[in-house]
């Protein structure tokens, strides 16, 4: 039992004890004279021992060690190093303690072994005990601290060194670079009197790691001028820097240098050039270079197969695959992935089933392929059947679940991964954070944040960006700014994420401030700030920012134009919208599904039939497309057309959703299609299993109410399975106003007042009902109630775009610089219309005043002012488009009919409810609104 304790009474495990006994057994051979064995035999044994250890065959090496009659320091050091390098540091320590002839190499091997296993305290104890330290010992200890992330201790030791060599400096610089502390790394680098290739490599790689590609490229140029001999590795890492700069010309410049140094025929450098071309979107250049390569390896072929696949050129990828001289597992996996990426998952699965000697990479690829094609069950089945998983397997499964809307299940898989003892990869953390954002699971997000910190992943830019997005989606902006502030590496994506976070949380000023502070902007940055202004209701600023973006030479992306189309639709900026449509054709975005959807929506917001034409021309349509067209038909009073679109949707086997039926019912309501509306309302639950929401019931109440079936509408509200809100009661109250039903109107208004509504609509509608019957005392009571409740009537505003400038008018507006000319023309039109039979409908004036005063008040409604301004300032015969925030009144509706007939202009007015298309004396709504 005395053998169980040694070295400070430390208790050894049974396996360690056996090693100790074995060591003591071998010590008996030390009494043999060394000269008894031939020296050549010792040399051969040492060489064989080193070969076994390099192959990781530690047990065989130990058996040889034990059988050796003669041993020298090389023998002992090899065995101690072998144990250390293979993670058997305790076995190494037993031999270390037993060896009486220790030299610097012995001590250094033991120190290094402890450091590699993270046992840095024991490594330092060995370092302290070294009888005579040399520069190698010091460097080994510094490297140990660096490997374990203790840069403070490493720097302290570095500063204490009396003598340093280039390895000492490189170790410290490497530590700073790995921790993204590039300013400190650069400071040391500049102080180095002697730099070798490793010094330059570490610095260039460090800058690439933190996305400072300009600095990386600049250092490479300095290195070239310093006459350091360039090699394969520096060319490869510099190509990575060029990737970040997105500059094809720099690839050509570097190729010239590669040719001069004789490395263009190097297959590794050649493949890196291929990768640079493909990642910069220069597939044709890549193909040309690929064909010229004198030597191609498996990675070269897989790079080109993958690049063609990702660009949608599957046939070219197949042709390349068929040319591969020797189809190994990598090229097979690349082709399988190409099939999956292009939706041909069954061909991908066939290849998978035919493959032999499957690797984890291949399993991961097919799982990702199923997930990309929305086939989660198949992906999960393969995941469970995998013979072995790595961190990428878990990452693929988690990402697949998140991408397919199974966020809660993704978080369960992450928890299972954590329980298995495997440290989640950066990708797993990022996907899990997106899952938390999707379901608003902020507590789970905080736990993942803590786990990322424990795993040392919090400084990774992808994880940091995921944290920003997660906290922003969960409305926790304090943590958003905290995470951003603590990030060591802030790439352009980080800044973009912060802008989007502020935008999504209606913090436009902060988004603008962040945009201005950005060190570098890309198209995503411009798109984010443009979208922020669109969401903030500042469409004009968004359009100006777009012009600024083009002025900076930044080409728009699909999302950029989508945001702009939304802004144009909201502003009624027809001309600008049409110009952006032309730009979309020019840059080739017209085939993009969501751009097409945005175009449909924009044109319908203009009240333009062009929306239907865009719909008909779209090569691909989804449920969003059909929903956009149905909503457009609804707002433009195209009830029968909406029904035709819905039938087309069924014929194309696109499954409707709740939004589909909302648009369809709204279309029926605006067109007075009561029977059709009832049929579709009942079909929701009976044929599609979609339970109607409060919005669908509101459409039905509006439909019944407009058609005069007020009793049925009220019964529907009273008997529906969901709690009625103020909107549905206001829909019924509006119907009471149309049909001047005072009794029901009073009852409905009382319900709204009891519900505590703060909207002016209910008060104004009730006031209108009383005013239409001349009940001025009741009108006064409603107005007093509004005053007591602090409710203000929203003023009527109309706006019109003339020559890309938006003009806004209030009712009775006298602020416009051309108000005299407008009012003069308006009075002339008014007199002319009266002579032609127009009679002002003074029922829409809600004051007890003289008839003449009522007529004057009606005359200066905002939409009348806007339409006259449009006639004065637009070319003869061109259509006039006006937007209004409130529902158009009956008198203005009648006025517009006369205006369209007299001027022979098409007048389109979008009010708070729908579009009215006036032409030749009639309106598209058929006076049903």
């Amino acid at each position: 039992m005395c053998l169980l304790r040694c070295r400070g009474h430390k208790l050894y495990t049974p396996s360690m004890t056996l090693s100790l006994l074995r060591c003591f057994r071998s010590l008996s051979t030390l009494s043999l004279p060394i000269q008894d064995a031939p020296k050549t035999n010792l040399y051969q044994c040492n060489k064989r021992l080193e070969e076994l250890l390099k192959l990781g065959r530690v047990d065989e090496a130990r058996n040889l060690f034990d059988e050796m009659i003669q041993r020298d320091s090389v023998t002992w050091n090899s065995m101690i190093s072998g144990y250390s390098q293979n993670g058997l540091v305790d076995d190494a320590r037993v031999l270390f303690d037993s060896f009486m002839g220790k030299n610097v190499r012995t001590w250094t091997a033991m120190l290094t072994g402890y450091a590699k296993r993270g046992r840095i305290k024991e490594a330092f104890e060995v370092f302290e005990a070294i009888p005579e330290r040399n520069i190698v010992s010091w460097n080994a200890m510094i490297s140990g601290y660096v490997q374990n992330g203790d840069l403070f201790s490493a720097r302290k030791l570095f500063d204490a060194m009396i003598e340093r060599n280039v390895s000492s400096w490189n170790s410290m610089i490497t530590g700073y670079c790995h921790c993204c502390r590039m300013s400190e790394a650069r400071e040391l680098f500049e102080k180095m009197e002697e730099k070798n290739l490793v010094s330059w490599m570490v610095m260039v790689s460090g800058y690439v790691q933190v996305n400072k590609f300009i600095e990386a490229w600049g250092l490479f140029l300095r290195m070239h001028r310093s006459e350091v001999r360039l090699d394969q590795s520096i060319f490869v890492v510099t190509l990575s820097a060029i990737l970040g700069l997105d500059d094809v010309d720099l690839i050509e410049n570097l190729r010239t240098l590669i040719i001069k140094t004789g490395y263009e025929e190097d297959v590794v450098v050649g493949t890196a050039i291929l990768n640079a071309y493909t990642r910069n979107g220069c597939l044709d250049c890549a193909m040309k270079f690929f064909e010229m390569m004198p030597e191609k390896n498996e990675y070269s072929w897989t790079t080109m197969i993958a690049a063609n696949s990702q660009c949608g050129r599957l046939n070219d990828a197949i042709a390349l695959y068929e040319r591969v001289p020797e189809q190994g597992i990598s090229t097979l996996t690349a082709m399988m992935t190409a099939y999956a990426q292009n939706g041909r998952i069954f061909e991908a699965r066939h290849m998978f089933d035919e493959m032999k000697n499957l690797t984890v990479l291949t399993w991961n690829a097919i799982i990702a392929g199923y997930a990309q094609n929305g086939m989660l069950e198949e992906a999960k089945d393969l995941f469970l059947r995998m013979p072995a998983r790595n961190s990428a397997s878990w990452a693929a499964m988690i990402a697949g679940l998140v991408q397919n809307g199974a966020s809660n299940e993704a978080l369960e898989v992450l928890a299972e991964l954590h329980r298995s003892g495997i440290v989640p990869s950066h990708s797993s953390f990022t996907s899990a954070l997106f899952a938390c954002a999707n379901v608003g699971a902020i507590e789970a997000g905080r736990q993942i944040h803590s786990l990322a910190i424990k795993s040392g992943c919090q400084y990774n830019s992808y994880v940091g960006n995921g944290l920003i997005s997660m906290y922003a989606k969960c409305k926790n902006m304090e943590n958003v700014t905290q995470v951003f502030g603590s990030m060591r590496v802030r790439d352009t994506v980080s800044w973009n994420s912060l802008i989007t976070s502020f935008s999504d949380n209606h913090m436009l000023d902060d988004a603008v401030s962040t945009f201005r502070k950005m060190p570098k902007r890309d198209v995503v940055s411009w798109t984010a700030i443009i979208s922020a202004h669109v969401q903030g209701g500042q469409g004009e600023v968004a359009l100006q920012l777009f012009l600024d973006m083009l002025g900076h030479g930044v080409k728009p992306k699909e999302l950029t134009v989508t945001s702009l189309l939304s802004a144009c639709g909201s502003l009624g900026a027809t001309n600008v919208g049409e110009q952006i449509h032309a730009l979309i054709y020019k840059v080739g975005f017209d085939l993009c599904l969501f751009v097409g959807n945005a175009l449909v929506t924009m044109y319908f917001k203009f009240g333009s039939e062009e929306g239907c034409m865009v719909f008909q021309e779209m090569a691909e349509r989804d449920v969003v497309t059909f929903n956009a067209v149905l909503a457009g038909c609804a707002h433009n009073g195209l009830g029968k057309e909406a029904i035709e679109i819905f039938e087309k949707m069924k014929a194309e086997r696109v499954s409707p959703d709740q939004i589909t039926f909302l648009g369809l019912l709204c279309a029926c309501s605006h067109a007075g299609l009561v029977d059709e509306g009832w049929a579709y309302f009942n079909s929701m639950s009976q044929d599609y299993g979609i339970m109607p929401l409060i919005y669908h019931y509101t459409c039905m109440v509006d439909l019944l109410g407009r058609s005069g079936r007020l009793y049925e509408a009220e019964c529907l509200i009273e008997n529906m399975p969901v709690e009625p809100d103020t909107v549905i009661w206001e829909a019924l109250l509006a119907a009471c106003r149309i049909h001047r039903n005072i009794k029901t109107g009073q009852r409905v208004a009382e319900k709204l007042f009891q519900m505590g509504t703060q909207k002016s609509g209910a008060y104004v509608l009730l006031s209108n009902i009383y005013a239409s019957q001349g009940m001025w005392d009741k009108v006064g009571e409603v107005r007093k109630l509004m005053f007591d409740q602090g409710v203000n009537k929203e003023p009527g505003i109309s706006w019109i775009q003339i020559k890309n400038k938006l003009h806004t008018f209030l009712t009775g507006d006298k602020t416009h610089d051309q108000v005299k000319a407008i009012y003069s023309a308006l009075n002339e039109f008014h007199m002319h219309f009266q002579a032609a039979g127009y009679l002002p409908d003074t029922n829409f004036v809600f004051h007890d005043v003289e008839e003449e005063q009522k007529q004057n008040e009606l005359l200066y409604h905002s939409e009348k002012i806007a339409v006259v301004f449009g006639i004065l300032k637009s070319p003869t015969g061109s259509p006039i488009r006006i937007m209004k925030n409130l529902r158009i009144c009956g008198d203005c509706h009648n006025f517009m009919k006369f205006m369209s007939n007299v001027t022979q202009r098409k007048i389109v007015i979008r009010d708070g409810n729908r579009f009215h298309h006036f032409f030749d004396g009639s309106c598209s709504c058929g006076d049903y609104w």
Side-chain angles (χ1 to χ4, degrees):
M1 287 299 292
C2 63
L3 293 177
L4 293 176
R5 295 179 183 274
C6 65
R7 293 189 69 250
H9 306 290
K10 182 175 179 180
L11 185 64
Y12 281 76
T13 63
S15 62
M16 293 164 63
T17 305
L18 286 173
S19 297
L20 192 61
L21 287 169
R22 195 162 58 177
C23 183
F24 271 97
R25 185 189 66 197
S26 65
L27 282 174
S28 61
T29 62
L30 289 177
S31 58
L32 292 173
I34 290 177
Q35 60 267 28
D36 288 351
K39 289 188 177 181
T40 53
N41 188 43
L42 176 61
Y43 171 79
Q44 291 170 353
C45 287
N46 284 343
K47 190 175 180 182
R48 177 59 180 162
L49 185 69
E50 289 177 358
E51 288 173 355
L52 290 171
L53 290 168
K54 281 181 182 177
L55 294 169
R57 291 154 66 175
V58 182
D59 289 338
E60 291 180 55
R62 182 53 195 260
N63 288 335
L64 176 60
F65 177 86
D66 290 342
E67 291 168 1
M68 289 174 68
I69 298 172
Q70 182 185 6
R71 304 189 193 97
D72 60 6
S73 60
V74 174
T75 317
W76 285 86
N77 288 341
S78 295
M79 197 64 225
I80 291 168
S81 296
Y83 272 138
S84 297
Q85 290 165 5
N86 286 278
L88 302 170
V89 69
D90 290 319
D91 290 326
R93 184 58 191 247
V94 172
L95 279 185
F96 175 83
D97 289 340
S98 304
F99 182 35
M100 302 305 175
K102 299 181 188 71
N103 56 22
V104 172
R105 186 186 168 195
T106 319
W107 291 92
T108 305
M110 195 65 243
L111 181 161
T112 304
Y114 276 131
K116 282 186 176 179
R117 298 296 293 172
R119 293 161 65 170
I120 198 66
K121 185 178 179 182
E122 290 163 285
F124 186 68
E125 287 173 0
V126 172
F127 176 75
E128 287 277 84
I130 298 176
E132 291 185 19
R133 301 182 197 126
N134 63 8
I135 199 166
V136 177
S137 316
W138 286 82
N139 288 346
M141 193 63 233
I142 290 171
S143 295
Y145 278 130
V146 166
Q147 289 165 12
N148 287 274
D150 187 356
L151 293 184
F152 176 80
S153 298
R155 184 59 186 265
K156 187 177 178 182
L157 208 61
F158 176 82
D159 290 339
M161 290 180 75
I162 299 171
E163 180 189 357
R164 304 186 190 103
N165 62 11
V166 71
S167 296
S168 317
W169 292 87
N170 287 346
S171 291
M172 272 315 306
I173 292 170
T174 300
Y176 283 131
C177 288
H178 283 175
C179 291
C180 304
R181 292 163 63 172
M182 292 307 298
S183 59
E184 291 156 291
R186 185 63 177 262
E187 182 186 358
L188 279 184
F189 177 78
E190 297 298 349
K191 289 179 180 178
M192 290 179 72
E193 294 181 4
E194 179 192 352
K195 301 177 180 75
N196 62 8
L197 179 62
V198 174
S199 317
W200 294 96
M201 265 288 299
V202 169
M203 286 302 298
V204 174
S205 299
Y207 277 124
V208 170
Q209 183 183 344
V210 299
N211 299 328
K212 291 190 174 182
F213 305 112
I214 294 174
E215 288 87 343
W217 176 249
L219 263 186
F220 171 76
L221 293 178
R222 261 184 68 189
M223 175 188 174
H224 176 47
R225 288 193 294 268
S226 71
E227 297 183 354
V228 174
R229 182 175 174 80
L230 305 177
D231 73 351
Q232 180 194 81
S233 56
I234 193 67
F235 283 129
V236 171
V237 76
T238 305
L239 283 162
S240 297
I242 292 173
L243 265 176
L245 293 171
D246 194 21
D247 190 336
V248 180
D249 291 337
L250 288 182
I251 301 176
E252 299 300 334
N253 293 342
L254 191 62
R255 270 190 66 188
T256 302
L257 184 56
I258 289 169
I259 292 168
K260 286 180 179 178
T261 52
Y263 274 96
E264 191 174 41
E265 294 188 2
D266 183 285
V267 67
V268 175
V269 174
T271 304
I273 292 171
L274 279 183
N275 193 45
Y277 275 133
T278 57
R279 295 278 294 277
N280 275 285
C282 300
L283 185 55
D284 291 334
C285 293
M287 284 297 296
K288 186 177 178 181
F289 180 78
F290 176 77
E291 297 299 346
M292 292 167 53
M293 287 176 70
E295 182 186 352
K296 303 176 181 73
N297 61 14
E298 194 167 22
Y299 187 66
S300 313
W301 288 98
T302 57
T303 298
M304 294 312 301
I305 291 168
N308 278 279
S309 167
Q310 287 160 9
C311 291
R313 290 161 60 167
L314 181 60
N315 290 335
D316 292 334
I318 294 170
L320 278 169
Y321 170 72
E322 290 173 347
R323 286 173 51 198
V324 177
E326 217 173 300
Q327 293 173 348
I329 194 69
S330 296
T331 46
L332 287 164
T333 302
M335 192 63 239
M336 181 189 75
T337 303
Y339 277 126
Q341 285 174 341
N342 288 272
R344 291 167 62 171
I345 189 65
F346 297 107
E347 285 99 324
R349 181 55 189 266
H350 178 71
M351 284 192 70
F352 177 81
D353 291 337
E354 293 292 316
M355 285 188 213
K356 297 176 182 178
N357 303 318
L358 295 171
T359 64
V360 175
L361 180 65
T362 309
W363 282 90
N364 294 346
I366 192 66
I367 289 169
Y370 273 123
Q372 288 164 5
N373 285 275
M375 302 170 72
L376 274 185
E377 292 305 316
E378 290 82 354
K380 287 189 281 188
D381 176 62
L382 282 172
F383 180 74
L384 294 173
R385 286 170 45 199
M386 285 184 75
R389 299 177 191 140
N390 59 11
S391 59
S393 315
W394 292 89
M397 196 65 243
I398 293 168
L401 290 164
V402 175
Q403 290 161 9
N404 287 278
S407 293
N408 286 318
E409 193 173 350
L411 293 175
E412 291 172 8
V413 173
L414 180 75
E416 185 184 346
L417 166 63
H418 181 48
R419 286 192 297 269
S420 72
I422 300 174
V423 177
S425 65
H426 295 152
S427 175
S428 294
F429 277 124
T430 305
S431 296
L433 289 168
F434 279 119
C436 293
N438 291 341
V439 296
I442 190 167
E443 288 306 318
R446 286 196 177 105
Q447 291 174 20
I448 293 168
H449 190 175
S450 299
L451 182 59
I453 292 171
K454 289 177 183 176
S455 306
C457 297
Q458 79 274 23
Y459 297 123
N460 176 267
S461 60
Y462 293 102
V463 176
N465 297 339
L467 284 167
I468 289 172
S469 298
M470 184 273 294
Y471 282 123
K473 286 281 182 70
C474 295
K475 310 297 180 187
N476 190 326
M477 291 306 294
E478 183 180 346
N479 278 359
V480 167
T481 52
Q482 184 181 1
V483 169
F484 183 80
S486 66
M487 291 176 73
R488 290 180 180 173
V489 180
R490 295 174 190 159
D491 56 14
T492 307
V493 178
S494 311
W495 288 91
N496 293 344
S497 298
L498 188 62
I499 292 172
T500 304
S501 299
F502 285 131
S503 173
D504 290 345
N505 285 275
H506 312 292
M507 299 167 70
L508 181 58
D509 290 342
D510 295 279
V512 172
S513 174
T514 303
F515 180 76
R516 288 174 179 165
K517 291 176 185 175
M518 288 185 74
K520 181 184 176 183
R521 299 170 187 149
D522 61 7
V523 65
V524 180
S525 318
W526 286 97
T527 301
I529 198 65
I530 288 169
S531 298
H533 281 89
V534 172
Q535 290 174 21
Q538 297 190 17
E540 290 179 90
V541 180
L543 293 171
Q544 183 57 53
L545 280 166
F546 177 64
L547 295 177
D548 293 344
M549 183 188 86
L550 296 178
H552 281 80
V554 179
K555 296 178 182 178
K557 294 285 187 183
E558 291 92 333
L559 284 173
T560 320
V561 296
T562 302
S563 292
L564 289 166
L565 292 171
S566 176
C568 291
S570 300
L571 291 169
T574 313
N575 294 338
V576 178
E578 288 172 347
Q579 289 171 22
I580 294 172
H581 190 177
L583 175 66
I584 286 167
Y585 274 108
K586 186 176 179 181
V587 296
F589 293 163
D590 53 302
L591 296 177
C592 176
L593 176 62
F594 63 84
V595 172
N597 292 342
L599 276 169
V600 168
T601 302
M602 180 193 73
Y603 277 116
F604 275 124
K605 280 186 176 181
F606 292 160
S608 170
E609 295 177 0
E610 186 73 20
C612 287
M613 293 178 66
V614 172
F615 170 76
Q616 296 295 344
E617 291 173 0
M618 288 177 69
E620 182 184 358
R621 294 189 277 255
D622 62 1
V623 65
V624 177
T625 317
F626 282 99
N627 289 350
V629 177
L630 288 169
C633 289
H635 291 135
N636 287 275
L638 306 173
K640 292 182 179 178
E641 290 82 351
I643 290 172
E644 290 176 7
I645 293 292
F646 182 72
E647 294 303 319
K648 185 178 184 69
M649 184 180 185
K650 291 196 309 188
E652 293 187 14
R653 297 185 177 180
V654 178
S655 299
D657 58 15
Q658 291 171 332
I659 298 172
T660 309
F661 282 102
L662 187 62
L664 186 58
L665 293 174
C666 186
C668 291
S669 173
H670 285 169
L673 304 174
V674 179
D675 294 337
E676 292 87 344
W678 265 122
Y680 285 122
F681 181 78
N682 292 326
S683 175
M684 285 180 67
S685 54
Q686 293 173 5
D687 300 331
Y688 298 98
I690 300 173
M691 297 308 297
L693 301 176
I694 185 70
Y695 316 107
H696 302 99
Y697 283 100
T698 302
C699 282
M700 289 306 300
V701 167
D702 188 58
L703 173 59
L704 294 168
R706 286 176 188 276
S707 64
R709 294 157 70 167
L710 298 177
Y711 176 74
E712 287 182 58
E714 190 172 6
C715 286
L716 182 62
I717 296 174
E718 297 288 358
N719 295 305
M720 66 185 188
V722 291
E723 189 71 23
D725 60 6
T726 57
V727 177
I728 197 168
W729 285 115
E730 283 180 7
L732 182 56
L733 185 59
C736 293
R737 185 201 61 78
I738 292 170
H739 298 287
R740 301 183 181 183
N741 189 317
I742 297 175
K743 185 177 179 181
T744 306
Q746 285 178 317
R747 188 168 62 251
V748 172
E750 189 60 34
K751 285 183 181 291
L752 282 164
F753 298 152
Q754 289 174 1
M755 293 172 76
T757 181
Q758 289 298 304
K759 294 180 180 178
S760 63
Y763 297 91
V764 172
L765 285 169
L766 182 61
S767 177
N768 292 354
I769 294 171
Y770 288 141
S772 66
Q773 300 297 310
M775 301 169 68
W776 300 111
D777 56 336
K778 290 291 185 182
V779 171
E781 289 177 13
V782 174
R783 291 187 177 278
K784 183 177 183 305
L785 183 61
M786 287 179 69
F787 179 80
D788 293 341
Q789 296 293 326
V791 177
N792 295 313
K793 182 180 181 296
E794 186 180 356
I797 305 172
S798 296
W799 55 97
I800 183 172
Q801 185 189 26
I802 302 291
K803 294 181 180 178
N804 293 337
K805 184 178 179 182
L806 212 61
H807 298 264
T808 305
F809 299 95
L810 290 165
T811 294
D813 200 338
K814 294 183 180 179
T815 60
H816 199 276
D817 57 358
Q818 299 186 45
V819 67
K820 288 185 179 179
I822 297 170
Y823 278 26
S824 174
L826 180 55
N827 280 291
E828 286 184 23
F829 278 121
H830 183 246
M831 293 172 59
H832 182 71
F833 294 168
Q834 282 185 316
Y838 164 69
L839 291 174
D841 189 347
T842 54
N843 286 322
F844 291 94
V845 178
F846 308 116
H847 301 283
D848 187 13
V849 293
E850 295 297 326
E851 189 71 16
E852 184 178 348
Q853 188 175 344
K854 288 182 180 181
Q855 290 187 20
N856 283 334
E857 188 171 329
L858 284 173
L859 183 59
Y860 301 114
H861 277 191
S862 62
E863 56 265 55
K864 290 190 179 94
I865 299 172
V867 75
V868 171
F869 178 73
I871 287 168
L872 291 175
K873 294 298 178 182
S874 62
T876 304
S878 63
I880 296 172
R881 288 186 169 85
I882 297 169
M883 290 189 295
K884 180 177 169 62
N885 63 328
L886 303 177
R887 184 180 182 274
I888 189 172
C889 76
D891 179 68
C892 287
H893 193 269
N894 196 26
F895 184 90
M896 295 302 167
K897 289 182 186 177
F898 277 88
M899 184 66 82
S900 68
N901 188 38
V902 169
T903 62
Q904 284 298 292
R905 297 273 198 115
K906 181 176 183 180
I907 301 168
V908 180
I909 296 182
R910 188 182 86 191
D911 70 5
N913 289 344
R914 59 173 297 165
F915 279 95
H916 297 267
H917 299 257
F918 300 94
F919 186 69
D920 205 19
S922 63
C923 179
S924 60
C925 73
D927 297 336
Y928 188 86
W929 89 100

